[in-house]
């Protein structure tokens, strides 16, 4: 495969018709109308949180309520950049969920990426308001005929039933009662758990009419059709589920609603499903245009999968999730490869998904302008990953062939087929096609069992777990009674502070004795909380009669900075006045953070402005910087980057930080982290005064002038994933230590080679030359050994076999696969043989000349038949084939039979 030429946008995007433009405007207006409606009802409108969840129990934001979990447990709902406390919130949340990803494109209900519209109450209003407002929005704002709406409630929730019937006015005949599998959240929580906050839910369904249904579909949750579609789910979080299924009332009752935007757009527009709306149609039209394969609705599965998965990948990469081999990055890689596989099916054999990105922006860019801003960066990530996968497809054909060659039987095990898919990205259907050409069956059931085992491991590692941690509960209570922790560490490494709370396990304690560990909240702190790639500060707390070692600090969602500490002496109590002091060695982190900004700027200067930060880690002893770039840095590029950074360090440039409005930072050209969400005011860090060499938005700590860094030394550069490189470096004292270590290693290596450090390169080159000569001599000896053990390769070697010709058979110990093939080639030529069979250990090579092939003898058939007699398998081309046996002695016995003439018929029939 060769690199594809750039695909013009005009070849991808067709001009929208007036009707399509009206539908697109109506779609965007529907989203705005929902948010405006709930703003009128006193809700704070919040932007969508990233699809990559910062909740350690979840991999992705899979529902609108995920960013607000602490507030459902009682934490004070305070939001960065917003004054006051807000118990009512509304959002349009971008979500990513890969449950049943195989069904994406096949049904109305399945999407990997979707928008969840929601209104939330944290201990404010409850069922009456939630039901009334949902009905008002649907019937009055959207003007949906009330007779088309049905509702369902939990079977024991008489309160909700009465509200819908008596307050909202829904006829009893359109209110259904269902069990916990349909109308409780989490589903089946009463009987099965898990313990924790839960509650009944009420769902609103829209009747689309008989044309969309089946004969057995008489109402919501019946039959197998799509006539009655759930559009809104109202969850009444009012219980705490305990052991034995006990439902204890929560002290705070909450509302969590979710209205699926794609589904609402589909049912209101009259489209058969969401793929028929302007949310997906720009991409589907582009796929049809580039492939020449028209879109024919649900039958065009590949068009639909590409449109769905490309949206998911675009928003995931926008929020900083890059393709990787594990975790959230693996999900992005999997979705990209599924989409690429479907593009291949449509005949698009070169990278094309990146060229379809403008269609996604056309559909979603007005609501999410950051998507348009990052389009070039996202396209670069997609392009690199897709190109790698297409190479995998081509290389995979060769890889599967080798697996089949080495196969000992006529069935490919399912776990082997799954490994080809999971490790190498090679699809099962292509593996099956290649196997069938060899007469080999693929154990598809075993493949699916292996995939289920992998899914179970994935769910256990990233997607499940307890939704609400006990620690969040107690820190939430602390946050209710105290302001956010004041961070004073930008200007000082020590401060006097008051202990607000001491948290030991699940409880606040009145005293923490000597030698105990706990979490401590102060009213103010110089300790930087881990975040933005920078490790948290460490140090000590001191008070009269006592001291504690601070091991780290982190910020909670409630606005508190929590210190992880262990008392050294004395007891620590809430209300105590303490001296908080940061370890000066830990503050070496400042040097590496400023060095990271300089490294970023230098990489963009040397490699190009396409370079953006894809991740970082800043510690006292080193820094790591991940960048979006498709190729390894050359030695010259690496030296240029180092020289530029050190030039800025020697210039002793000033480093300044100030808080500014976000718009002002944008106007100043400040670099913003890929996938980061910013408030209305941001902290801008600039290096240099009149013409800054670096301007970035950053909350970390920094040196005052670049001269404090001393020097920067790049210690490594490697690939992290497709389109992402990783640079490691050291600055300050760590750079001096690195240089001293390298000097010592160089001197030791030179001494081991019997020379001085300045002779090291010459001595290594001589050693390499000696090794090359030794390897060549070894290979020549192996060739001569093989020739000697096959009768010298003369014309007297071998014997005549009727119907085949002259056949040479030998079993030679100590030859690898390459030497075996070479021995077969040379023996066929020197002995003027028609067929050569040579074995070594449990391996076998068969070489057949032109004359024998003309008589019907095929090397692949001979190799397979001989190996099967020894309990193995294999095959190959008519002229050359390899095979293997499970037992070397068994293979040697088969070759003796062949040499003695007992298997001549096998040669003729093969």
């Amino acid at each position: 495969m060769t690199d594809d030429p750039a695909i013009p946008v005009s070849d991808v995007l067709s001009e929208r018709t007036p009707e399509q433009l009206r539908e697109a405007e109506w779609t965007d207006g529907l989203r705005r109308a929902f948010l405006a409606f709930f703003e009128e009802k006193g809700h704070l409108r919040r932007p969508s949180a990233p699809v990559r969840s910062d909740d350690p129990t979840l991999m992705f934001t899979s529902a609108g309520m995920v960013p607000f979990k602490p507030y459902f447990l009682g934490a004070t709902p305070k939001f960065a950049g917003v004054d006051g406390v807000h118990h009512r919130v509304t959002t349009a949340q971008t979500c990513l969920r890969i449950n049943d990803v195989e069904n994406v494109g096949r049904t109305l209900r399945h999407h990997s990426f979707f928008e969840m519209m929601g209104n939330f109450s944290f201990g404010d209003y409850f069922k009456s308001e939630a039901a009334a407002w949902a009905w008002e929005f649907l019937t009055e704002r959207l003007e949906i005929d009330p007779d088309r709406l049905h509702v369902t409630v939990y079977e024991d929730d008489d309160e909700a039933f009465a509200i819908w019937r008596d307050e909202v006015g829904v006829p009893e005949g359109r209110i259904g009662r269902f069990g916990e599998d349909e109308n409780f959240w989490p589903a089946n929580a009463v009987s099965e758990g898990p313990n924790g906050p839960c509650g009944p839910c009420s769902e609103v369904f829209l009747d689309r009419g008989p044309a969309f249904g089946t004969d057995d579909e008489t109402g919501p949750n019946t039959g197998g059709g799509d006539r009655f579609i759930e559009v809104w789910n109202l969850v009444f979080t009012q219980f705490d589920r305990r052991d034995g299924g006990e439902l204890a009332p929560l002290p705070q009752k909450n509302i969590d609603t979710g209205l699926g935007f794609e589904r609402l757009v589909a049912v209101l527009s009259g489209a058969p499903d969401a793929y028929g709306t302007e949310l997906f149609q720009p991409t589907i039209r582009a796929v049809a245009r580039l492939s020449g394969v028209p879109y024919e609705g649900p039958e065009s599965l590949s068009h639909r999968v590409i449109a769905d998965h490309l949206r998911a990948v675009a928003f995931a990469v926008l929020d900083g999730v890059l393709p990787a081999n594990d975790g959230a990055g693996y999900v992005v890689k999997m979705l990209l490869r599924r989409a690429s596989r479907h593009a291949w099916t449509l005949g698009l054999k070169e990278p094309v998904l990146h060229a379809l990105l403008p269609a996604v922006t056309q559909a979603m860019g007005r609501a999410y302008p950051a998507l348009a801003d990052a389009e070039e960066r996202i396209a670069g990530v997609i392009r690199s990953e897709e190109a790698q996968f297409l190479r995998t497809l081509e290389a995979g054909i060769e890889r599967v062939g080798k697996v089949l060659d080495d196969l000992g039987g006529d069935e490919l095990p399912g776990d082997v087929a799954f490994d080809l898919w999971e490790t190498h990205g090679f699809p099962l259907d292509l593996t099956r096609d290649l196997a069938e050409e060899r007469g080999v069956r693929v154990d598809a059931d075993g493949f699916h069992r292996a995939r289920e085992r992998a899914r179970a491991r994935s769910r256990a590692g990233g997607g499940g777990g307890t939704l609400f941690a006990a620690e969040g509960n107690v820190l939430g209570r602390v946050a209710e009674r105290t302001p956010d922790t004041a961070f004073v560490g930008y200007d000082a490494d020590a401060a006097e502070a008051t202990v607000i709370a001491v948290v030991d396990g699940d409880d606040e304690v009145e005293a923490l004795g000597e030698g105990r560990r706990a979490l401590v909240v102060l009213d103010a702190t110089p300790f930087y909380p881990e975040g933005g790639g920078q490790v948290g500060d460490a140090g000590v707390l001191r008070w009269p009669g006592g001291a504690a070692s601070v091991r780290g600090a982190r910020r909670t969602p409630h606005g508190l900075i929590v210190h992880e500490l262990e008392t050294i002496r004395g007891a620590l109590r809430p209300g105590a006045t303490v001296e908080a002091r940061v370890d000066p060695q830990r503050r070496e982190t400042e040097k590496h953070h400023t060095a990271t900004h300089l490294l970023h700027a230098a990489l963009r200067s040397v490699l190009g402005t396409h370079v953006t930060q894809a991740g970082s880690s800043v510690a006292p002893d080193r820094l790591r910087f991940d960048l979006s770039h498709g190729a390894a840095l050359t030695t010259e590029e690496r030296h240029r980057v180092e020289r530029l950074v050190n030039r800025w360090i020697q210039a002793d440039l000033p480093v300044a930080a100030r808080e500014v409005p976000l718009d002002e930072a944008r106007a100043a050209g400040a670099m913003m982290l890929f996938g980061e969400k910013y408030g209305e005011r941001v902290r801008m860090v600039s290096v240099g005064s009149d013409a800054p060499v670096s301007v970035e938005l950053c909350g970390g700590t920094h040196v005052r002038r670049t001269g404090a860094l001393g020097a920067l030394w790049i210690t490594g550069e490697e690939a992290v994933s497709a389109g992402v490189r990783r640079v490691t470096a050291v600055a300050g004292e760590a750079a001096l230590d690195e240089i001293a270590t390298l000097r010592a290693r160089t001197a030791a290596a030179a001494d081991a080679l019997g020379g001085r450090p300045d002779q090291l390169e010459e001595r290594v080159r001589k050693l390499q030359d000696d090794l090359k000569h030794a390897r060549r001599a070894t290979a020549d000896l192996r060739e001569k050994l093989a020739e000697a053990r096959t009768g010298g390769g003369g014309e007297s070697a071998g014997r005549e076999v009727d119907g085949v010709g002259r056949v040479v058979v030998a079993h030679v110990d100590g030859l690898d696969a390459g030497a075996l093939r070479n021995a077969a080639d040379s023996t066929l030529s020197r002995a003027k043989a028609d067929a050569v069979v040579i074995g070594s250990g449990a391996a076998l090579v068969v070489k057949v000349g032109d004359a024998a092939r003309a008589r019907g003898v095929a090397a692949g058939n001979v190799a397979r038949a001989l190996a099967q007699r020894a309990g193995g398998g294999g095959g190959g081309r008519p002229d050359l084939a390899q095979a293997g046996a499970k037992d070397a002695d068994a293979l040697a016995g088969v070759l003796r039979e062949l040499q003695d003439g007992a298997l001549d018929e096998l040669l003729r029939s093969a």
Side-chain angles (χ1 to χ4, degrees):
M1 188 194 72
T2 57
D3 286 346
D4 62 306
I7 301 176
V9 172
S10 59
D11 286 356
V12 178
L13 293 181
S14 57
E15 187 175 347
R16 281 172 160 173
T17 66
E19 182 180 355
Q20 290 166 352
L21 286 170
R22 284 193 298 271
E23 183 180 338
E25 177 57 39
W26 170 82
T27 300
D28 287 331
L30 184 59
R31 187 188 293 106
R32 293 193 300 268
F34 178 92
L35 297 171
F37 175 83
F38 282 100
E39 281 186 308
E40 295 171 10
K41 304 299 184 185
H43 292 64
L44 173 70
R45 182 193 297 202
R46 295 293 296 158
S48 173
V51 294
R52 177 66 169 104
S53 176
D54 58 5
D55 185 322
T57 68
L58 298 171
M59 189 175 290
F60 292 103
T61 301
S62 56
M65 55 76 61
V66 168
F68 307 120
K69 282 165 49 175
Y71 311 131
F72 285 110
L73 279 171
T76 303
K78 297 186 291 184
F79 302 94
V82 181
D83 294 333
V85 176
H86 297 270
H87 289 277
R88 300 180 181 186
V89 172
T90 185
T91 62
Q93 175 63 49
T94 54
C95 300
L96 203 157
R97 189 185 297 170
I98 57 168
N99 298 346
D100 302 320
V101 71
E102 295 87 353
N103 289 325
V104 167
R106 302 179 189 274
T107 74
L108 172 65
R109 296 175 173 83
H110 289 92
H111 295 290
S112 59
F113 171 87
F114 56 94
E115 292 179 84
M116 186 63 75
M117 319 296 289
N119 57 291
F120 308 94
S121 168
F122 314 121
D124 187 5
Y125 63 84
F126 201 43
K127 295 180 183 179
S128 289
E129 294 88 345
W133 291 339
W135 196 262
E136 180 184 347
F137 179 73
L138 292 172
T139 61
E140 297 183 20
R141 292 297 173 91
L142 301 187
E143 299 181 345
I144 297 175
D145 182 355
D147 291 340
R148 297 177 61 197
L149 297 177
H150 295 244
V151 297
T152 63
V153 298
Y154 180 53
E155 56 190 356
D156 294 336
D157 194 351
D158 296 333
E159 179 187 10
F161 188 95
I163 288 171
W164 285 114
R165 181 191 60 195
D166 301 334
E167 298 180 19
V168 178
V170 180
E172 283 193 19
R174 295 210 307 274
I175 307 175
R177 291 180 184 263
F178 291 90
E180 60 176 317
D181 58 331
E182 294 287 353
N183 280 86
F184 207 91
W185 185 90
N188 299 311
V190 180
S191 58
E192 300 176 8
N195 288 347
C198 60
C201 63
S202 187
E203 297 174 327
V204 182
F205 289 76
L206 178 67
D207 181 358
R208 306 180 75 195
F212 292 92
T214 55
D215 293 340
D216 58 349
E217 195 174 8
T218 59
N221 300 326
T222 64
D226 288 329
R227 173 175 177 175
F228 297 93
I229 292 295
E230 175 212 331
V231 293
W232 209 331
N233 187 11
L234 284 58
V235 179
F236 311 130
T237 312
Q238 63 186 100
F239 298 117
D240 181 12
R241 199 266 191 195
R242 298 176 180 173
D243 290 340
E246 177 191 357
L247 298 179
L250 284 171
Q252 172 181 298
K253 295 180 179 180
N254 307 301
I255 289 293
D256 159 24
T257 86
L259 184 153
F261 187 61
E262 288 78 7
R263 195 175 298 179
L264 182 68
V265 172
V267 297
L268 291 185
S269 67
D273 53 39
Y275 297 101
T277 72
E278 282 301 298
L279 292 172
F280 291 94
Q281 275 296 303
T283 307
I284 288 174
R285 289 193 294 265
V287 171
R289 192 173 188 182
L290 288 178
S291 68
V293 179
Y295 177 67
E296 298 177 349
E299 301 303 317
S300 298
L301 177 64
S302 291
H303 296 69
R304 295 152 74 91
V305 170
I306 293 169
D308 173 276
H309 287 6
L310 189 57
R311 285 206 324 166
V313 168
F315 276 87
V317 175
L318 173 66
D319 286 340
V321 186
L322 300 173
N325 290 325
D326 54 16
Y330 180 73
V331 173
V332 173
K333 173 177 281 193
M334 180 268 292
L335 291 172
L336 257 175
R337 292 190 166 195
R338 290 191 88 244
S340 184
R341 165 71 179 123
H342 279 275
W344 176 282
T345 300
L346 293 174
L348 297 168
K349 302 298 177 71
E350 300 289 344
V352 71
L353 297 181
H354 68 288
L356 296 171
L357 195 59
V360 177
T361 303
Q362 186 183 74
M364 305 293 292
R366 184 178 298 185
Y368 299 97
L371 187 66
D373 294 341
E375 186 177 290
E376 182 179 351
R377 289 179 286 176
I378 299 171
V381 172
I382 293 174
R383 169 69 178 83
S384 179
E385 178 64 28
E386 188 182 13
Q388 183 182 47
F389 175 60
L390 292 176
R391 287 192 294 271
T392 297
L393 271 181
E394 295 172 348
I397 295 173
E398 181 178 346
R399 182 178 292 111
V400 173
K402 185 178 185 307
V403 169
L404 295 172
D405 286 345
D406 296 338
L407 184 65
D410 60 358
E411 181 177 82
L412 182 69
D415 56 349
V416 176
F418 178 71
D419 180 68
L420 287 168
W421 177 75
E422 182 183 44
T423 304
H424 306 292
F426 202 77
L428 174 63
D429 52 354
L430 278 185
T431 300
R432 185 185 287 119
D433 291 344
L434 293 174
E436 286 177 353
E437 293 175 3
R438 305 275 195 100
V440 174
R441 188 176 67 86
V442 177
D443 178 12
D445 291 340
F447 174 93
H448 294 301
R449 286 194 297 272
R451 184 174 64 179
E452 283 304 316
R453 289 194 295 270
R455 278 174 151 182
R457 291 192 298 270
S458 176
R459 284 192 292 268
T466 305
L467 286 177
F468 299 92
E471 178 193 287
N473 250 332
V474 64
L475 292 175
R477 292 195 295 270
V478 174
E480 283 186 342
R481 66 174 191 265
T482 185
D484 294 353
T485 307
F487 176 64
V488 298
Y490 290 135
D491 302 311
D493 58 8
E496 185 177 280
T498 300
V499 177
I500 300 298
V502 179
V503 177
D504 185 3
D506 297 347
D507 301 301
E508 291 188 62
V509 295
E510 292 302 318
L512 187 70
E514 187 173 310
R516 296 286 301 280
R517 294 185 179 184
L519 304 178
V520 170
V521 179
L522 306 176
D523 65 337
T525 181
F527 290 93
Y528 181 80
E530 182 174 352
Q534 180 174 332
V535 301
D537 281 333
V540 66
L541 296 186
R542 292 190 178 91
W543 61 94
S549 171
V550 178
R551 300 170 179 272
R554 58 185 173 85
R555 190 181 297 275
T556 74
H558 320 93
L560 303 177
I561 295 177
V562 177
H563 306 75
E564 302 171 12
L565 57 74
E566 180 178 2
T567 52
I568 301 171
R569 63 178 185 277
L572 182 62
R573 293 179 171 82
T577 299
V578 299
E579 179 197 30
R581 183 170 295 276
V582 177
D583 180 356
Q585 283 299 112
R586 193 64 164 245
R587 271 293 168 95
E588 283 284 300
T589 306
E590 289 182 339
K591 295 179 181 178
H592 283 117
H593 205 149
T594 304
T596 300
H597 285 215
L598 295 179
L599 180 62
H600 190 184
L603 287 165
R604 286 173 60 84
S605 175
V606 171
L607 302 179
T609 56
H610 66 280
V611 168
T612 56
Q613 181 174 334
S616 69
S617 176
V618 181
D621 58 340
R622 49 124 186 100
L623 70 87
R624 186 201 78 212
F625 186 82
D626 295 347
L627 62 142
S628 56
H629 186 59
L633 272 69
T634 65
T635 301
E636 175 58 25
E637 287 170 340
R638 181 168 162 169
H639 289 164
R640 287 173 60 195
V641 169
E642 274 185 337
R643 284 196 296 269
L644 187 53
V645 172
N646 283 297
R647 189 180 306 147
W648 290 333
I649 291 173
Q650 295 304 312
D652 196 26
L653 301 173
V655 181
R658 60 193 180 98
E659 189 174 289
V660 299
L662 180 60
D663 289 342
E664 182 179 332
R666 282 201 177 103
M671 291 294 299
M672 302 183 187
L673 284 183
F674 205 14
E676 190 71 22
K677 302 292 184 180
Y678 295 100
E680 294 179 3
R681 294 190 64 80
V682 293
R683 185 169 183 263
M684 186 170 71
V685 176
S686 57
V687 180
S689 51
D690 296 335
V693 299
S694 168
V695 182
E696 293 195 27
L697 301 190
C698 178
T701 58
H702 290 271
V703 299
R704 299 293 183 270
R705 302 189 72 88
T706 59
L709 274 60
L712 176 132
W713 182 276
I714 294 177
T715 57
E717 192 268 345
E718 62 182 349
V720 177
S721 61
V724 180
R725 308 295 300 182
R726 172 168 293 170
V727 174
T728 54
V730 288
E733 291 185 16
L736 297 178
D737 291 343
E738 179 72 15
I739 293 171
T741 299
L742 287 173
R743 281 179 173 173
R745 288 176 179 169
T746 302
D751 185 62
L753 293 174
R756 302 185 307 273
D758 61 342
Q759 297 174 318
L760 186 58
E761 186 176 356
E762 174 189 339
R763 296 298 173 100
V764 169
R765 189 178 295 114
K766 183 179 184 301
L767 196 63
Q768 288 174 326
D769 290 341
D770 292 345
L771 179 60
K772 188 183 300 181
H773 292 314
R775 283 175 172 167
R776 187 177 298 121
T778 300
D780 290 343
L781 286 173
R782 281 179 176 163
E783 296 287 344
K784 291 177 181 177
L785 175 64
E787 181 181 331
R789 291 183 177 178
T790 55
E795 294 185 21
S796 62
R799 61 186 182 82
E800 290 292 332
V801 177
D802 290 343
V804 178
R806 181 176 293 280
V807 178
V808 177
V809 182
H811 191 276
V812 183
D813 293 330
L815 298 185
D816 59 21
L820 266 177
R821 287 192 297 270
N822 290 339
D825 283 339
S826 62
T827 301
L828 188 76
S829 173
R830 293 176 183 176
K832 299 189 182 306
D834 295 291
V836 175
V837 180
I838 302 180
S840 182
L844 171 74
V845 169
V846 178
K847 180 80 174 180
V848 176
D850 294 341
R853 290 204 306 276
R855 298 183 187 108
V857 180
N861 295 339
V862 172
R864 184 179 299 109
L866 292 173
Q868 286 175 347
R869 291 182 67 86
R877 303 192 309 265
D879 63 322
L880 178 66
Q882 294 179 217
K886 294 180 179 178
D887 185 342
D889 290 339
L891 180 62
V894 171
L895 294 184
R896 282 195 297 272
E897 289 185 78
L898 182 63
Q899 199 163 29
D900 294 341
L903 300 179
D904 287 356
E905 188 58 37
L906 181 149
L907 290 174
R908 285 189 287 267
S909 62

